[in-house]
Amino acid sequence: MGSVTRAVFGELPSGGGTVEKFRLQSDLLRVDIISWGCTITAIEVKDRQGRASDVVLGFADLEGYLQKQPYFGAVVGRVANRIAKGTFKVDGKEYCLALNKEPNSLHGGVRGFDKVLWTPRVLSNGVQFSRVSPDGEEGYPGELKVWVTYTLDGGELVVNYRAQASQATPVNLTNHSYFNLAGQGSPNIYDHEVTIEADTYLPVDETLIPTGEVAPVQGTAFDLRKPVELGKHLQDFHLNGFDHNFCLKGSKEKHFCARVRHAASGRVLEVYTTQPGVQFYTGNFLDGTLKGKSGAVYPKHSGFCLETQNWPDAVNQPHFPPVLLRPGEEYDHTTWFKFSVA
């Protein structure tokens, strides 16, 4: 059986409230999550020798998370990923968002779901966070009630996202954890072996907005259906890294998404999800300027993200999976992060 403990993590400036940390522990995993942005701050996983290492990038204290930083461990929303030119229409009405990643809107805007304090509720094997995103927050229509639930089951961390809207609005929620299975602070992820269960992917323009084409991976650098060693693969294809949406099975049921293996430690991460896509990102924008946990620095390619989600810019691309949530409907998606040793 697992345990859940809670402690104060820090105080927000100018009376903004108390950020708490929740520790979920099983015989195989230890996961720390804070109420600021529902952020995963640590995941401790044993290697084949039984030595535990923290495999997610992040900070030791609240100040680290409050500085400008690339969404380490956080839940992002109301709409994860990019919306072209920060505009979209719902039922004929145009909405304009902040262009916080010129010339587009990224991860919910200037103060997205990652930059707010959530209300926690402790469960027997996890923690549920909730908040109400008010009508018009960051330019989005309607009030949105949101619940994010983390539960631990042996070696599996389960993340469930639920939302209900008072008005039709796009919703796309994900977790933006950066993993390094050699242990956070390791210089790169080149020795990780990656598999992604996707026959197609979305090519992007120079601002990382999908062109609209749904392209077969066959015969391209994006064919990750059989395991590839990341460093060698990037070299062979002269790639700067990945920051692309891979298209998964269209089913709402749990399906296999990706597997990452670190041969030296034996650690394996498998990802399953109900979502139609996954953004595979290899930390291309990390530049070594941030000081992480235990004095770690995070240079380019020192962590990877597998952001299970709807396809980017779906609100502007009618042939992408539907992203609008209407009153009376419920947004309900789950992602499973399964850790093991091989």
Side-chain angles (χ1 to χ4, degrees), residues 34 70 85-86 140 168 232 240 261 295 325 335:
I34 59 172
K85 301 185 177 59
Y140 287 96
K232 184 180 180 309
N240 175 50
R261 175 172 164 263
L325 180 69
T335 295

Side-chain angles (χ1 to χ4, degrees), residues 301-333:
H301 297 158
S302 59
F304 67 89
C305 304
L306 287 164
E307 303 157 62
T308 51
Q309 54 176 29
N310 201 332
W311 302 0
D313 199 35
V315 71
N316 290 315
Q317 312 231 15
H319 59 295
F320 284 9
V323 71
L324 288 185
L325 180 69
R326 294 186 179 274
E329 300 172 344
E330 184 167 75
Y331 177 96
D332 187 351
H333 277 288

Side-chain angles (χ1 to χ4, degrees), residues 193-213:
E193 186 185 276
V194 179
T195 312
I196 297 180
E197 186 71 14
D199 297 327
T200 53
Y201 79 102
L202 301 181
V204 292
D205 67 18
E206 65 287 350
T207 75
L208 298 178
I209 291 285
T211 60
E213 183 193 358

